[in-house]
Amino acid sequence: MRNLFAATAALALLATPALAQQKPKEIVLGITTYLSGPASVFGVPGRDAADLLIEEINAKGGIQGVPVRAVYIDEGAGTENLLAEYRRVSQSENAAFTLAAISSGNCNALVPVAEDLKQPNIMWDCGTQQIFEEKRYKYSFRTQANATPEMLAALLYLVQAKPDFKTIAVVNQDYAWGRDSWNIFSTALKALKPDVRVVAEMFPKFGAPDYSTEITRLSALRPDVILSTSWGGDLDTFVRQAAARGLLKQSTFVLPLAESSLQRLGDTLPEGVIVGARGDHWFLHPAAEDPARHKAFVEKYKAKTGSYPIYPVYHMAQAMAAMQAGFEKAVKAAGGNWPTKDQLAEAMKGLEFRGLTRTVRLREDNQGLEDQLIGTTVRVKEYPFAVLDNMKLYPADLVTTPVGQKSEEWVKTLDKGMPTSPKIQTFAFKP
């Protein structure tokens, strides 16, 4: 009888809260970001934001009473090293959560690994629309938009701001993002303005130091619009060289990722350039849901880094907010016990959270719904760089590919009245 009692007690122990993990001494958070190479202009601000946010979380007692410790992995070291370090942090350091990655190529490589490891993961910055359109995942989530709403919002803005344009040229980096983003933009353009003529498609090498060939050709073609979805040092170099040759005064430039370059470009960028913020990310956001908190963070970030926050900072804040909300939801669902990784992943489903600006919701395919902010540059006395005026806020549900559809096919069906949808809000610059 004694042995039977002991066995029954042991089974009962296994069937109850002991299944829930013991509360750890710390939450290890693995974060991949570019700490070296040209993309470090995104990665370092993202890391700085994570440090600030973790400092705030820990000052308030951590997450559910557990402090957070970040372990950073440099995406600039290459994909092979990234995958090895990701496995090490997930397994050897027992990361409770990972935030990976910036590069779309790295996201494509890491997401299957996260699934194999059953590792809850947030794609905190990568833009490829293909991941959730081609396959469903259990452990990976994206807490911001993807390339489709980012490109579509820029196009909708252009169509309304310059309705009579007849010709367009593109200068994009020659890799997946440059070609995929142009494919989305150009396909949507055919649906909304089929008579517009594409006069040049140029894809200079990633990291190109000289754009004189492209600029000479564009100067001769004189397109009404020049689009570039390039980013970082490549975009900065192209804009500086184009400005020196007078090209920015000859054509209307559309730069969907240029919000992150404005401060670096200083007085180079003139008025009248259409600029996107890869979401609604702008340090002078005209309609933040908690403006006091947003302003306080902007000031704190500026004091720490010497710069105003750019969109990777906002993306990091959204990922951190989602992670916190996921833990809180999972702990509650587990009856106050510490959740397993499976319980964490389940808690992320359909999650709503707010980063620094507005509420984001994760759909059933784990894709985040994020509003898009686009504006036109102006020069003002308050800042030594161009800022945004005539801003338009495009709601996520207007510009995001519906669940179960492929972006390339969906944008072919766009309504020509879309650019003037009453859902779109307009805001003027306010210092």
Side-chain angles (χ1 to χ4, degrees), residues 149-324:
E150 293 166 3
M151 294 302 106
L152 183 51
L155 174 59
L156 295 179
Y157 189 100
L158 169 65
V159 167
Q160 191 172 21
K162 193 177 177 66
D164 297 328
F165 76 99
K166 301 297 183 184
T167 56
I168 188 170
V170 61
V171 183
N172 276 6
Q173 295 150 313
D174 190 12
Y175 80 115
W177 167 258
R179 293 189 177 269
D180 289 349
S181 57
W182 169 237
N183 184 46
I184 293 167
F185 191 100
S186 60
T187 303
L189 176 62
K190 289 175 186 176
L192 296 178
K193 289 184 71 69
D195 295 335
V196 170
R197 188 162 53 95
V198 177
V199 296
E201 296 175 282
M202 291 177 276
F203 295 91
K205 183 180 178 181
F206 188 91
D210 181 17
Y211 292 88
S212 57
T213 299
E214 289 80 12
I215 293 169
T216 297
R217 187 179 174 195
L218 290 169
S219 297
L221 288 170
R222 303 184 69 85
D224 296 327
V225 174
I226 295 173
L227 169 75
S228 180
T229 70
S230 298
W231 50 267
D234 286 10
L235 179 62
D236 297 353
T237 300
F238 173 56
V239 168
R240 289 191 179 102
Q241 293 178 8
R245 298 271 297 273
L247 190 60
L248 273 71
K249 296 180 180 178
Q250 178 180 299
S251 301
T252 296
F253 270 62
V254 180
L255 307 175
L257 276 68
E259 177 271 343
S260 64
S261 290
L262 294 178
Q263 295 173 72
R264 293 193 304 273
L265 288 171
D267 60 4
T268 301
L269 208 62
E271 294 190 336
V273 176
I274 296 172
V275 168
R278 283 204 72 199
D280 66 326
H281 312 312
W282 182 228
F283 77 99
L284 297 172
H285 197 292
E289 291 175 345
D290 188 347
R293 177 175 179 266
H294 178 230
K295 183 180 179 181
F297 181 87
V298 168
E299 291 173 350
K300 188 174 182 180
Y301 184 89
K302 177 71 160 58
K304 177 181 179 179
T305 67
S307 299
Y308 294 102
I310 57 176
Y311 74 72
V313 172
Y314 289 85
H315 281 173
M316 180 59 73
Q318 287 174 188
M320 297 285 284
M323 180 197 66
Q324 284 184 267

Side-chain angles (χ1 to χ4, degrees), residues 74 116 179 211 257 271 325 341 357 374 383 397 402:
D74 184 9
D116 288 344
R179 293 189 177 269
Y211 292 88
L257 276 68
E271 294 190 336
K341 288 186 175 182
T357 52
I374 311 287
Y383 300 97
D397 61 353

